[in-house]
Amino acid sequence: MSAVRRLFKDLNANKAMLLMVLPATVWFLIFSYLPMAGLVIAFKEYRYSRDGFLASILNSAWVGFENFKFLFSTNDAWIITRNTVLYNVVFIVLGLLLAVGMAIVLSEIVNKKLAKVYQTGMFLPHFLSWVIVGYFVFSFLSFDRGVLNQLMEALGLERTQWYADPEPWPIIIVLVNLWKSVGYSSVIYLAAITGFDKSLYEAAMIDGANKWQQIRRITIPLLIPIMTIMTLLNIGRIFYADFGLFFQVPRDSGALYSVTNVIDTYVYRGLTTTGEIGMSTAAGFYQSIIGFLLVITSNYIVRKINKDNALF
Amino acid sequence: MLAVTKKNRDFHRISPVGNAIFHAIAGLFTFACVFPFVFVIIISFTDESTLARNGYSLFPEKWSLEAYRYILLTGEQLFRSYGVTIFVTVVGTIVSMVFIALFAYAISRKSFKYRNFFSFLAFFTMLFNGGLVPTYIVVTQLLDLKDTVWALILPMAVNAFYIMIMRTFFVTSVPDAIIESGKIDGASEFRIFTTLVLPLSLPGLATIGLFSTLGYWNDWFNALLYIDDPGLVPLQSMLMRIENSMSFLLQNTSNASINAGILQSLPQDTSRMAMVVLATGPIVLAYPFFQRYFIQGLTIGAVKE
């Protein structure tokens, strides 16, 4: 049988399945793979052409690594990389400590009904959009009406223009992010703790271990594999920032860019405000490549530790 | 020994003091998580002039329903945006679930010869992407979706991570034997999928459906990029646009009778907060009932086949 006939026979045999994957495959080609091909813009001086998408890309002149050179010659590349990575490092470390701590606290609370209520409350922020969170933050930080300024005035301090003063923002950003994410991630650890073998604790009890010792010697060591996995996966995403957090919460305030500009917001502003299409794509490319390498590396490490938990 | 421990079940328990401390920690954090929402509700019921005088307060001197009355009378944009959000959420979730379930089911079947190829096709998008600018150019220039409702639906329709969750669900909860029995009875692949597989996969579908619903309801990013037409602005995006002034709302109100006098007495702050409450209300009210599925989905997502 010729190869072509064999192919047709195979295709025919898998006809139903091929039809099933068709819609999402078309979607992937258009919304994921075509943009990957569109990364060539990073090496071009992009000019919009009236004749459409392909013509725009084809008619733009090649400029080699000019866009990258320009990006890295400015201070921006350094600031956005530093902000993105540093914030993520802080989120990973504090997020892990708080989520695990909260999961242990919830698992030890005697009144299970109340523990459930706590969990439901902590999970709430995860369901709100960053726009809404931006409003919440504003109700605390607004110059003339915000609670924080009212409190400061009551204490005899000066009101602060929070949205114009970059200094406190690293702390505000971190607090808001933890507020939104800790309840969500503690669910994963809590689910793991509930699955632990209860007889381990009983044995420890009989040996006279108090609760604190049980947490330190049983719960935490048992949680370490999942903690490692979650952390490594987060490290794989260290080059990506949550756009909403850095755009909505500081209300896109220009005065705060030095501490709130991350790669994602930089790319967005390059596209919409400054019109630096080529450089913006170059920044996005830089993010995708480093992000890709980090995911591959962290997954490789996860695989070494525990094959079941690896992403691939 | 055993009798003693059986009698007082303090066995696993922490001391009363420790328990109290744990309650305090969990209680405080829970309070911090819920409080801002309650606070915004209070602000929305505050009298505007009280607010102008005293700022946002937990115990306003004077309560008022003015903000909600104002929205009912002039909030055409809000209702319009509500409509857009509901439409996008319903259609988007249906499209997502159909695309994702079909794809995930096909790659979960061992009999599908090209399953590895298509799994990789989906999976690779989790590792590498073209980024914002090329995606933007594809959507606006190739597909010409700017200022259409599809710009709010299609870019979020498929998600490789949900496909992985769903595939795991099919593999673990649909026994091969059932599919075989369907084949023996002469059912087509589609018939097997719709009448045998889907009913067994309801919890998985519910999880994906809820994730999608929440994603569409809360989305503002696509509107920020692709929507200029006020008639197509979804809720979250509308809230974002009126953040600093009510001008957006006023521009898009066909109620021409609003005169300068009313303009001056607009309940600005309170009605913005009332809109926040109205836009978030459905999610906040519904989520305790669906939380179980989210938690299920979260934990499934962490486990592989």
Side-chain angles (χ1 to χ4, degrees):
Chain A
M1 206 191 318
S2 78
V4 178
R5 272 191 60 190
R6 195 201 201 102
L7 178 70
F8 273 108
K9 201 169 163 255
D10 275 349
L11 288 177
N12 194 42
N14 291 285
K15 180 169 69 192
M17 293 296 157
L18 285 169
L19 269 176
M20 285 185 180
V21 295
L22 185 68
T25 302
V26 171
W27 187 92
F28 278 124
L29 290 180
I30 294 175
F31 287 94
S32 295
Y33 288 94
L34 208 52
M36 286 183 208
L39 281 172
V40 294
I41 298 168
F43 304 97
K44 292 201 159 207
E45 192 187 349
Y46 187 75
R47 291 235 183 280
Y48 174 70
S49 158
R50 207 170 291 216
D51 300 329
F53 171 69
L54 260 180
S56 302
I57 290 183
L58 288 176
N59 292 340
S60 301
W62 288 101
V63 292
F65 284 90
E66 276 311 302
N67 287 320
F68 290 91
K69 262 190 211 152
F70 199 64
L71 171 68
F72 289 105
S73 69
T74 62
N75 215 4
D76 293 348
W78 155 244
I79 291 177
I80 57 174
T81 308
R82 177 201 67 187
N83 286 350
T84 312
V85 172
L86 274 187
Y87 276 118
N88 273 324
V89 167
V90 175
F91 294 162
I92 291 171
V93 174
L94 291 182
L96 178 76
L97 291 178
L98 283 175
V100 170
M102 206 50 86
I104 291 175
V105 165
L106 285 176
S107 71
E108 295 294 347
I109 280 175
V110 179
N111 184 337
K112 289 299 164 213
K113 273 223 170 92
L114 213 49
K116 189 85 202 161
V117 171
Y118 293 145
Q119 203 199 351
T120 306
M122 287 176 197
F123 211 13
L124 176 74
H126 176 69
F127 289 78
L128 305 172
S129 78
W130 280 115
V131 178
I132 305 291
V133 177
Y135 270 94
F136 289 174
V137 174
F138 183 73
S139 72
F140 285 87
L141 299 184
S142 153
F143 177 70
D144 48 347
R145 292 167 180 192
V147 175
L148 205 56
N149 274 342
Q150 288 182 43
L151 271 177
M152 289 175 62
E153 207 173 48
L155 293 172
L157 297 163
E158 284 279 306
R159 281 172 184 261
T160 306
Q161 290 272 16
W162 292 102
Y163 291 94
D165 178 10
E167 222 166 90
W169 276 88
I171 296 169
I172 296 171
I173 294 275
V174 169
L175 284 180
V176 173
N177 186 60
L178 291 175
W179 176 82
K180 199 169 190 297
S181 64
V182 164
Y184 169 83
S185 35
S186 67
V187 167
I188 295 170
Y189 297 109
L190 189 58
I193 294 175
T194 343
F196 292 163
D197 188 353
K198 291 285 172 291
S199 60
L200 285 172
Y201 294 91
E202 284 170 25
M205 254 333 259
I206 290 163
D207 288 347
N210 64 27
K211 201 71 225 181
W212 174 237
Q213 287 167 325
Q214 291 173 37
I215 292 172
R216 237 182 44 197
R217 304 288 168 129
I218 302 174
T219 312
I220 293 179
L222 283 176
L223 276 178
I224 281 187
I226 184 163
M227 280 157 66
T228 320
I229 306 309
M230 300 300 291
T231 306
L232 284 168
L233 289 178
N234 284 334
I235 290 174
R237 302 282 307 165
I238 215 165
F239 249 60
Y240 291 89
D242 193 330
F243 184 85
L245 170 63
F246 292 94
F247 186 79
Q248 297 290 0
V249 177
R251 312 192 127 208
D252 196 21
S253 164
L256 306 176
Y257 283 176
S258 61
V259 290
T260 59
N261 211 4
V262 285
I263 303 177
D264 302 74
T265 51
Y266 178 83
V267 173
Y268 169 77
R269 285 184 194 117
L271 172 71
T272 56
T273 351
T274 52
E276 304 268 13
I277 303 282
M279 210 162 87
S280 196
T281 316
F285 197 6
Y286 159 64
Q287 178 179 44
S288 293
I289 287 283
I290 308 263
F292 177 69
L293 293 175
L294 285 168
V295 174
I296 298 284
T297 317
S298 54
N299 186 71
Y300 176 77
I301 300 170
V302 173
R303 250 185 113 81
K304 286 263 155 191
I305 300 169
N306 183 346
K307 208 161 174 276
D308 289 340
N309 285 308
L311 203 54
F312 51 92
Chain B
M1 221 2 220
L2 229 112
V4 175
T5 49
K6 271 250 165 71
K7 209 168 69 193
N8 50 25
R9 299 281 292 165
D10 274 349
F11 197 39
H12 292 296
R13 292 185 178 177
I14 44 179
S15 66
V17 179
N19 194 32
I21 294 173
F22 278 7
H23 270 288
I25 295 172
L28 272 178
F29 186 59
T30 307
F31 177 77
C33 284
V34 179
F35 174 74
F37 189 66
V38 177
F39 189 41
V40 163
I41 296 178
I42 292 174
I43 297 173
S44 74
F45 282 108
T46 303
D47 177 66
E48 187 73 28
S49 57
T50 309
L51 198 124
R53 210 169 40 246
N54 302 338
Y56 300 142
S57 161
L58 254 185
F59 310 100
E61 279 170 28
K62 199 172 156 208
W63 299 85
S64 163
L65 285 170
E66 191 55 32
Y68 291 91
R69 200 184 69 91
Y70 171 76
I71 289 175
L72 275 181
L73 292 178
T74 58
E76 268 170 57
Q77 182 62 46
L78 178 85
F79 297 116
R80 178 84 212 171
S81 295
Y82 239 108
V84 173
T85 294
I86 290 171
F87 179 80
V88 165
T89 305
V90 171
V91 176
T93 304
I94 293 171
V95 171
S96 290
M97 285 178 73
V98 171
F99 281 28
I100 290 173
L102 285 171
F103 193 94
Y105 174 66
I107 63 171
S108 78
R109 289 291 307 279
K110 295 214 167 55
S111 63
F112 180 33
K113 188 164 194 272
Y114 307 104
R115 65 195 287 251
N116 287 331
F117 171 78
F118 284 101
S119 303
F120 183 78
L121 183 96
F123 181 69
F124 187 70
T125 64
M126 286 165 79
L127 303 181
F128 191 77
N129 64 75
L132 177 65
V133 183
T135 310
Y136 178 84
I137 293 175
V138 166
V139 172
T140 56
Q141 289 177 29
L142 178 75
L143 301 171
D144 212 7
L145 293 180
K146 207 166 165 87
D147 271 326
T148 67
V149 77
W150 298 106
L152 299 173
I153 293 174
L154 291 177
M156 294 171 68
V158 181
N159 176 319
F161 183 63
Y162 296 172
I163 288 183
M164 297 300 156
I165 294 180
M166 213 51 228
R167 186 195 60 177
T168 308
F169 215 95
F170 287 132
V171 170
T172 50
S173 66
V174 183
D176 273 344
I178 288 187
I179 295 168
E180 285 308 316
S181 77
K183 272 201 182 135
I184 291 165
D185 290 344
S188 71
E189 290 284 359
F190 279 99
R191 215 184 138 78
I192 292 173
F193 178 66
T194 49
T195 57
L196 296 176
V197 176
L198 285 186
L200 284 172
S201 315
L202 285 180
L205 291 169
T207 308
I208 301 295
L210 283 170
F211 281 164
S212 292
T213 306
L214 188 71
Y216 278 111
W217 186 275
N218 276 344
D219 177 57
W220 47 272
F221 188 59
N222 287 309
L224 178 68
L225 286 176
Y226 305 122
I227 303 293
D228 291 324
D229 177 1
L232 283 174
V233 170
L235 271 183
Q236 306 291 337
S237 175
M238 178 208 74
L239 284 172
M240 200 182 124
R241 286 170 205 221
I242 58 163
E243 211 166 64
N244 290 314
S245 70
M246 294 284 272
S247 59
F248 180 79
L249 189 78
L250 289 173
Q251 272 165 21
N252 298 298
T253 292
S254 58
N255 188 347
S257 66
I258 293 183
N259 57 39
I262 297 177
L263 263 177
Q264 275 178 350
S265 62
L266 276 183
Q268 293 215 1
D269 255 7
T270 52
S271 49
R272 269 187 292 152
M273 293 305 184
M275 285 185 191
V276 171
V277 173
L278 291 175
T280 325
I283 289 280
V284 172
L285 290 180
Y287 108 90
F289 301 102
F290 298 121
Q291 194 191 1
R292 193 161 63 88
Y293 288 102
F294 275 99
I295 292 175
Q296 206 173 23
L298 257 178
T299 29
I300 291 171
V303 183
K304 271 205 329 169
E305 133 185 41

